[in-house]
Amino acid sequence: MAGIDNLPPLRDVIATHGLSARKSLGQNFLLDLNLTAKIARQAGDLTETDVLEIGPGPGGLTRGLLAEGARKVLAIEKDHRCLPALAEIAAAYPGRLEVIEGDALEINPLEHLTPPIRIAANLPYNVGTELLVRWLTPKEWPPFWSSMTLMFQREVAERIVATPGSKAYGRLAVLSQWRSDARIAISLPPGAFTPPPKVSSAVVHLTALPAPRYEADAKTLEYVVAKAFNQRRKMLRAALKGVHPDIEDLLTSADISPTERAEQVSLEQFCALARALKDARA
Ligand code: SAM
């Protein structure tokens, strides 16, 4: 018995099903069920919502989410070797765990869940940022999720919560803070994982705001911020050259000096620039 449920300890599950970690799939497993239950608690009250989990692996966080009362968990896992272990969890929690084998980048979770849902995951590092940006930039807002509780490398977590003027401030900070509240909830040393990764990790909790902090078109904002930070050491009039022939005027109309660098520009100013660019292109 592992403490939070009647299933075997995760080390036994891994041994029974031969789940040696594969680097190519970003596999660093959490085996401490008290820790996975703690992460699940950060996701808030799970009893009234469905939860989407990406990359359940042997099921440590899945078990945490279910033990903390999640109404239903939809877990998308690419590694078919994990499916028998996940089937054992599904049997222990009848009707509350649905597992889909596949690539999270290809599967539409809304075909299986009723929004608004919560997202909770110890993300595979190779797809984590891409999924986060996708979840943050749908055309319509509010999105299909009400909160996201996500594990990242510590450095990525710091980029999500960074403020203007800091080294970590960039595309992820602007897109995350534009339409959500983001905070680092738990910090974890490499030793919390099996095998231990080279770097520390952190759980970030993001709560969707009812409306964006400032009006802007998601695709235009994403585009202009990516361009601006792509050459972060250049003045904006140079970094954004090619974005629009009148870029200096557009920057000025957004209250941004054309000689400014991207890391000094606030979220409000980036949104104003995205609006000006969209109008100028119309
Ligand atoms: N949730 C487990 C835990 O906390 O122990 C495993 C986390 S491990 C960091 C990432 C998991 O994501 C692995 O099980 C891996 O097989 C899976 N994975 C990797 N790429 C994926 C993808 N594109 N779609 C779905 N799952 C993926």
Side-chain angles (χ1 to χ4, degrees):
M1 279 233 323
I4 66 165
D5 55 32
N6 292 323
L7 290 155
L10 282 156
R11 273 187 205 288
D12 295 358
V13 173
I14 284 175
T16 308
H17 297 285
L19 301 179
S20 52
R22 289 200 177 144
K23 220 176 166 178
S24 61
L25 287 164
Q27 291 183 335
N28 300 99
F29 300 134
L30 290 169
L31 303 187
D32 178 349
L33 288 160
N34 291 314
L35 177 58
T36 63
K38 182 176 167 189
I39 296 169
R41 280 196 293 279
Q42 292 297 325
D45 181 3
L46 303 176
T47 55
E48 302 292 327
T49 47
D50 293 349
V51 181
L52 170 64
E53 185 190 2
I54 307 299
L61 181 56
T62 321
R63 285 165 64 175
L65 292 164
L66 289 163
E68 288 298 318
R71 183 172 70 185
K72 177 187 169 181
V73 177
L74 173 73
I76 302 175
E77 174 56 61
K78 196 170 174 184
D79 184 354
H80 67 91
R81 298 178 309 155
C82 298
L83 299 190
L86 295 167
E88 288 173 10
I89 304 172
Y93 290 94
R96 290 174 56 199
L97 173 61
E98 181 181 348
V99 180
I100 300 181
E101 181 187 353
D103 186 337
L105 294 169
E106 317 259 308
I107 291 166
N108 177 5
L110 290 181
E111 285 170 13
H112 307 265
L113 296 171
T114 316
I117 62 152
R118 293 185 188 272
I119 303 176
N122 175 12
L123 286 170
Y125 72 91
N126 46 351
V127 292
T129 315
E130 184 172 345
L131 282 171
L132 175 69
V133 170
R134 193 186 285 190
W135 290 327
L136 289 168
T137 54
K139 197 169 166 43
E140 305 297 335
W141 201 263
F144 71 95
W145 53 272
S146 59
S147 75
M148 306 200 270
T149 308
L150 305 172
M151 181 86 71
F152 288 101
Q153 294 178 11
R154 174 90 206 178
E155 185 216 313
V156 177
E158 279 169 5
R159 284 200 267 139
I160 293 170
V161 302
T163 49
S166 65
K167 224 174 125 199
Y169 183 63
R171 181 178 75 121
L172 284 185
V174 173
L175 295 179
S176 302
Q177 296 167 38
W178 174 40
R179 305 203 276 197
S180 69
D181 271 328
R183 65 180 168 84
I184 292 181
I186 306 176
S187 297
L188 292 155
F193 301 85
T194 304
K198 288 203 173 67
V199 293
S200 297
S201 300
V203 175
V204 180
H205 185 75
L206 301 104
T207 312
L209 296 172
R213 280 183 219 280
Y214 308 102
E215 202 187 310
D217 168 66
K219 287 290 159 238
T220 313
L221 181 65
E222 194 183 344
Y223 169 76
V224 86
V225 168
K227 285 273 180 200
F229 284 101
N230 211 6
Q231 302 181 67
R232 55 190 301 138
R233 258 175 260 192
K234 283 197 178 169
M235 292 179 193
L236 281 167
R237 70 169 170 228
L240 297 178
K241 205 175 142 204
V243 163
H244 194 278
D246 302 327
I247 193 64
E248 291 218 24
D249 291 345
L250 298 182
L251 284 163
T252 309
S253 75
D255 205 19
I256 305 169
S257 160
T259 59
E260 197 62 274
R261 285 167 179 79
E263 67 186 41
Q264 300 296 341
V265 176
S266 69
L267 170 59
E268 183 174 8
Q269 288 172 311
F270 272 123
C271 290
L273 179 59
R275 290 197 301 274
L277 179 59
K278 188 150 196 284
D279 289 349
R281 280 168 158 179

